[in-house]
Every structure is written in C-alpha cells, then in structure tokens.
Amino acid sequence: MTVNHALTGKKILLGISGGIAAYKCAELTRRLKDQGAEVRIVMTAAAKEFITPLTMQAVSGHEVADNLLDPSAQSSMGHIELGKWADLVLLAPATAHLIARLRAGFGDELLTTLCLATTAPIAVSPAMNMEMYLSPATQENISVLAQRGTLIWGPGKGPQACGDIGPGRMLEPDDLVQRVIAFFNPEKAIFEGINITITAGPTQEALDPVRYISNHSSGKMGFSLAEMAQKMGANVTLISGPVNLPTPTNVNRINIKSALQMHAASIDSLAHCDIFIACAAVADYRAEDIASHKIKKQKEIDDLTIKLVKNPDIIADVASHANRPFCVGFAAETQDVEHYAADKLKRKNLDLIAANNVAMAGQGFNSEQNALTVFSANQRVDISLADKKVVAFQLLEIIRQHYK
Ligand code: C5P
C-alpha cells in the first residue's frame, strides 16, 4: 500500500477483543500510523491472551487502556475521555462475544463501556470461526448493529485458524486501512458521475418589501450533505434558502428565497438529476398577496388578517414528475416520529425518509449535531447522534445502498 498520509490528524481508537486475529493488530496499528493516524489501543482481558499490551504499547506509542476501574488509568484517560478523543472506534478483531455485548448495550468492561459513551462512528471487523459467524444469533446481532448505523467491515472468506474454510476471517490490515481511508476520505468516488440535487435551509415568504414568514432552519444538515456528496464524487446542485453558510467546494449553489422559487429551481434541476434530497424547511403557506409597500401600522386597526395560501409540496411534485429521480425526504417531528415519517414516505411517494426528532435537545434545527432514523418501505436504520457531517456521510451511504 502506498503511504500518502491520508489519515493525518485522524484519531483512531483500536479496540481489540480476544480472537486469534488479534496478532494482526500490531501490523494494523503500524499501517494506520504510516498513514498519519494517531492510534490508541483498548484491549479486553481475552485479547491479552493473544497479543501482549507491551507489543501494542510499543507500536502505538501510547499506554494500552484495559481497565475500567483502575483509578490511575481513569485519571489519565477514562472511558468517557477515550470515547470523546476518538474520530473513529475500530473494533478489530471483533469476536462473536464482543458483538453480542455491543448489541445488548453491555458496559461490563472498558471497551464496551466506551462504545456506549462515544459519539464517534464505530466500525466492527468480525473475526471468528465460520459456524459461529453464520449462527443465527451472531447474524442477528450483526444486522441489529448495522441497523443502528454501526459500520460492518468484513469478514473475509478463506482458511481459518481452526482449519475450516469460509467466512469469518478478519480483514487483512491493508484492507482495513483502506476502509478507514475511504471512511475519512469519501472522495473514493462512490457517486462518480451521479447528479444530486439538495434543497437546504429555510424559505422566506414575503408579506411586504421588508417582512417575511420564515423558520429557524440553519441549513447545516443540507450543506453537510452537499459537501459530503461532492466529496463522494457527485455533481451537486444545492438549492438554498437564505442561510449564513459558505458554499462547499465545487458545489453548484442556487440561492432562492421563497418556496415558489425553490420549487421552480428544483423542477429545473430535474433535467440532470439522479438523486433528489429535500432537506429544506419549506414554509407550508405564503401570503396570497405580497403588499407592494410596507404594511403600515394603523391607529384604528387592532386586528390584521393576512390570508395565507398553500405552497406546492416540492418533493412530492419531484417524486411524481415524469423524469423522477431517486427521492429522499426529511421529516422533522416533535412527537410520534415513526408514525409520521412512515405516512410521509407513502403519501409523498419517496424512496427514503430521514426522520429527526427536533424536540430532543442537542439535535436538529441550528445544532451542530443530529441523529436520524431512516425509513424505506421495508427497512429502518438508526444513525446515532454525531456531528452533522458524520451523519451526512452515513445517510449518503444508506442512499447509495438503496439507489440502483
Ligand atoms: O410535510 P413536511 O413539511 O413535514 O415534509 C417534510 C419534507 O418535505 C422535507 O423533505 C421537506 O424538504 C419537504 N417539503 C417540500 N416542500 C414543501 C414542504 C416540505 O419539499 N412545501
């Protein structure tokens, strides 16, 4: 593998559990460091039966963390600090036992506890005997983790330590390093040649030349999606309402104000659009008439009535267009999220809908972080609370899996 420092500045927490493939972790750590990553190691008790903490300390350049209840270890970097420190938690090898504990949400030792505590993405590299891997329990555990947004890398197929030949081998260190690089550098051209239109931000519905109806959408989620989609190789058109954000590099931005303008720009974009993501918080209603001069306060008028009329539903119109792209909508709800999202998916004829519960503190409108539940007609995947760019990457991964 070429060394091009593709991981400079990235902090990777490598969690090692007790499988024979643990012996490959010294090599894996060196290769990650060759690419510029900083690597810290957490080992389970069983992992230490397969490779020594001394080896892992020497190759990583940091003391190995292995004890949840050791006061001196906790005072340097405990499970919360380690969880916060990491940009990515990579569990390799991940045994059937570790995977089962992750699925159940155990906090029985340092590694599982920090997986509960971290908001960084978690990647699991399963490694076990093929029958253990194929057992219904392990299969179910892995699919539940995947639904929660955990990245599942591997296993590979081939001869196993026990003599069996089949799926269950941990991916080779080089393959894992490639996965990590692809994760942090999504410009691996996943959407090469694909045209993606994204609507973002609020709309402003004018009442007169100086007043309007709008909402608190910051546009951050839509702009994060535009940035990540472009890095993943897409040609991105970003139709944005008034927001205070810089245009992501190499993204074609179209500024609009009203829902009608956003509607027109969206329909125009369908001439070259494979995937349409409606992230904008579009005003449902606009003033029937926009006053041509500032509406004056009048002494004798205490009640002012402004007639509002319904705006077109942009994503619904896009989804029923003759030239229909793959359609992804958002649902911002304050209650009964699942029910409303499923209803919207059907009613608007969407392929996917990403629901966020804006009533939960620290996510949604104006926040740096978000958590989503993504529904298709027959599947539900949770993306846990993280920086909007990380969430955008994970949503685009889900879109890629569904987009044919
Ligand atoms: O119906 P509701 O506004 O909750 O639906 C939200 C989804 O529909 C979002 O994807 C939003 O961008 C889109 N939408 C739209 N045009 C509207 C209203 C909502 O595209 N007029």
Side-chain angles (χ1 to χ4, degrees), residues 55-361:
T55 304
M56 295 312 302
Q57 177 179 322
V59 288
S60 69
H62 294 287
E63 205 172 313
V64 169
D66 58 4
N67 195 337
L68 182 61
L69 302 172
D70 175 351
S72 64
Q74 286 286 307
S75 66
S76 60
M77 238 201 200
H79 58 286
I80 303 287
E81 285 79 359
L82 282 167
K84 281 193 179 143
W85 173 84
D87 294 317
L88 174 72
V89 175
L90 171 59
L91 305 176
T95 58
H97 186 51
L98 176 63
I99 288 169
R101 284 181 295 145
L102 288 177
R103 184 258 168 101
F106 276 19
D108 55 336
E109 37 76 46
L110 180 62
L111 186 53
T112 46
T113 310
L114 83 82
C115 287
L116 289 173
T118 192
T119 56
I122 300 176
V124 167
S125 183
M128 65 199 75
N129 161 269
M130 64 177 275
E131 302 299 350
M132 291 171 72
Y133 173 70
L134 294 172
S135 78
T138 304
Q139 287 298 307
E140 191 192 313
N141 290 338
I142 289 176
S143 90
V144 169
L145 291 182
Q147 278 172 38
R148 285 183 200 153
T150 304
L151 305 162
I152 309 293
W153 291 347
K157 279 187 188 158
Q160 301 200 285
C162 53
D164 286 346
I165 297 178
R169 285 172 62 88
M170 186 174 95
L171 295 184
E172 293 303 321
D174 274 354
D175 292 340
L176 282 173
V177 173
Q178 284 297 357
R179 299 282 183 126
V180 175
I181 292 173
F183 172 77
F184 283 113
N185 302 273
E187 62 267 33
K188 283 275 155 183
I190 289 167
F191 287 119
E192 187 73 58
I194 304 285
N195 299 308
I196 303 186
T197 299
I198 299 169
T199 67
T203 62
Q204 283 181 357
E205 308 302 328
L207 300 177
D208 66 18
V210 294
R211 302 188 182 90
Y212 55 80
I213 302 173
S214 191
N215 60 66
H216 292 296
S217 170
S218 64
K220 281 179 198 157
M221 191 65 230
F223 275 59
S224 297
L225 280 164
E227 179 183 335
M228 297 313 267
Q230 192 281 328
K231 285 187 174 163
M232 291 162 102
N235 306 316
V236 180
T237 299
L238 176 62
I239 304 174
S240 176
V243 294
N244 194 12
L245 294 172
T247 307
T249 311
N250 292 330
V251 162
N252 170 31
R253 175 172 175 176
I254 300 173
N255 288 323
I256 55 83
K257 283 201 169 131
S258 69
L260 287 179
Q261 290 168 346
M262 183 175 274
H263 185 269
S266 297
I267 300 296
D268 277 355
S269 83
L270 296 187
H272 304 284
C273 176
D274 302 300
I275 298 174
F276 188 94
I277 308 175
C279 199
V282 184
D284 290 326
Y285 292 90
R286 68 181 183 278
E288 185 176 44
D289 298 307
I290 303 173
S292 46
H293 295 287
K294 185 179 169 194
I295 302 169
K296 299 295 278 180
K297 182 163 59 184
Q298 292 178 44
K299 239 189 191 166
E300 64 282 9
I301 298 183
D302 285 341
D303 300 321
L304 181 67
T305 303
I306 294 171
K307 185 170 178 200
L308 301 178
V309 292
K310 215 179 216 159
N311 273 325
D313 192 311
I314 300 169
I315 184 91
D317 283 358
V318 166
S320 63
H321 201 270
N323 201 4
R324 182 188 188 281
F326 184 92
C327 289
V328 184
F330 272 73
E333 304 291 348
T334 52
Q335 56 175 352
D336 211 356
V337 175
E338 190 156 338
H339 171 75
Y340 287 116
D343 171 62
K344 236 165 254 182
L345 183 76
K346 250 194 176 164
R347 193 162 37 84
K348 300 194 183 204
N349 185 27
L350 307 179
D351 298 286
L352 289 175
I353 191 149
N356 46 6
N357 186 341
V358 288
M360 276 169 71

